[in-house]
Amino acid sequence: MAFALRSAARRAACLGRRSFSTTPCAASSSHGLLRLKEYYDSTLSEDLMILTYDHARAAPSTYKHPDIQAQIDRALAATGEEKAHVSQDKPEAVRTRKGGKPVKPIQPAKSANTIPGLDKITLHAMVKDAIHSKHNLLSAFMAFQSITSTRPEVVYARTSVANWKLREGMPIGVKVTLRGEEMYQFMDKLVEIVLPRLKEWPGLQLTAGDGNGNIALGFPASALALFPEIEGSFDVYPKMTGFDVIFNTTAYTNTDGRLLLSGFSVPFKTKN
């Protein structure tokens, strides 16, 4: 009887040492720590704040002559008078851009809340063979799901093109939008494994960007095989396809966007 009690107590102690927590911390990523996320929070964000700070765009003074305005305010407070605010109905100015291009957002004053950062990463691939058979999308669909751990979305044609035998509503591509942990995990694999092994790729252009701090990269079909999830089971994917990677940042200028990617070890083409 005593032996049975000791055995039961030993099993209870072993079970007590096991962790069966159901908190979100228990569902940690299989890729380990988010190295790039921790690096951005601890080091890169402070460096970007210093490098992108512009003293000319600091918060301006409220009044043109603060000393004179302070005297006026004190005099009005002493006499009990109040300022009369006359509201005038002015039509709102409509910001337009030449050529019907989208209007750029107004860049706010530099502060700790405007440090450039990664918002999302979008992977997109257009498969031409899908025009003849939609089953040709399966290889790109499986490859994107393997390297991003996220189910891709199928892209359908918006218009019909007779010369390409393309009809509206036909599936022609796949795309994946990554945010949060999945975004930093993909970024880590890209800069540490894929980009160093690319042949004959000098790096990003020094003029890369769309004007609002977003930068896109195009990769050939051979780059898809450099990801570790596909390299180990290359025969499972019969057809490789080229793809685009779009980095959407919170920067307002291309210079800040390029500076952010440079901090994440993305190489840039140097002038000879």
Side-chain angles (χ1 to χ4, degrees):
M1 184 66 180
F3 177 76
L5 290 176
R6 285 196 298 269
S7 300
R10 196 178 299 112
R11 286 197 299 270
C14 293
L15 290 175
R17 286 194 294 266
R18 296 180 182 178
S19 176
F20 294 100
S21 176
T22 58
T23 59
C25 297
S28 59
S29 172
S30 60
H31 295 271
L33 297 176
L34 297 177
R35 186 183 63 87
L36 285 185
K37 174 62 175 174
E38 295 178 356
Y39 168 66
Y40 176 82
D41 294 336
S42 61
T43 305
L44 185 58
S45 60
E46 299 177 359
D47 295 342
L48 291 175
M49 178 65 188
I50 297 174
L51 293 173
T52 61
Y53 191 80
D54 186 6
H55 291 276
R57 289 190 54 82
S61 178
T62 308
Y63 303 106
K64 187 176 181 180
H65 304 286
D67 52 346
I68 298 176
Q69 186 64 40
Q71 295 177 9
I72 295 173
D73 292 340
R74 284 196 298 268
L76 292 175
T79 58
E81 298 180 0
E82 297 181 356
K83 295 182 179 180
H85 298 278
V86 180
S87 60
Q88 300 178 356
D89 297 335
K90 296 182 179 180
E92 296 183 359
V94 179
R95 299 173 60 232
T96 58
R97 219 178 146 189
K98 189 176 180 180
K101 297 179 181 178
V103 180
K104 293 184 179 181
I106 299 176
Q107 184 177 0
K110 295 294 184 180
S111 65
N113 297 326
T114 60
I115 299 177
L118 275 179
D119 182 27
K120 63 180 179 179
I121 296 178
T122 303
L123 282 75
H124 177 270
M126 190 269 185
V127 184
K128 296 182 180 179
D129 295 337
I131 298 176
H132 307 291
S133 176
K134 62 182 180 181
H135 300 289
N136 293 324
L137 278 177
L138 185 59
S139 181
F141 189 93
M142 294 171 57
F144 272 25
Q145 188 170 359
S146 298
I147 65 178
T148 62
S149 301
T150 306
R151 185 178 179 85
E153 301 177 12
V154 179
V155 179
Y156 298 92
R158 296 181 180 179
T159 58
S160 301
V161 181
N163 296 335
W164 296 349
K165 298 181 181 179
L166 180 65
R167 296 190 302 273
E168 182 180 358
M170 291 180 60
I172 56 171
V174 292
K175 72 172 183 178
V176 177
T177 302
L178 302 176
R179 299 177 186 270
E181 294 185 1
E182 291 81 5
M183 175 183 66
Y184 285 102
Q185 290 168 5
F186 176 80
M187 188 72 177
D188 197 0
K189 288 186 291 185
L190 187 67
V191 299
E192 294 293 337
I193 301 176
V194 179
L195 293 183
R197 300 172 62 186
L198 278 178
K199 297 180 179 179
E200 299 180 357
W201 187 66
L204 271 175
Q205 296 289 338
L206 295 178
T207 57
D210 64 344
N212 296 326
N214 304 317
I215 299 175
L217 278 174
F219 291 95
S222 58
L224 197 60
L226 299 178
F227 285 90
E229 294 87 356
I230 296 180
E231 188 177 14
S233 56
F234 184 79
D235 297 336
V236 178
Y237 311 95
K239 292 183 180 181
M240 292 293 167
T241 181
F243 62 99
D244 299 323
V245 178
I246 300 136
F247 300 99
N248 294 95
T249 69
T250 59
Y252 288 87
T253 61
N254 289 338
T255 303
D256 293 349
R258 291 192 293 264
L259 191 63
L260 174 65
L261 293 187
S262 177
F264 283 128
S265 302
V266 175
F268 281 81
K269 184 178 180 180
T270 57
K271 295 182 179 179
N272 296 328

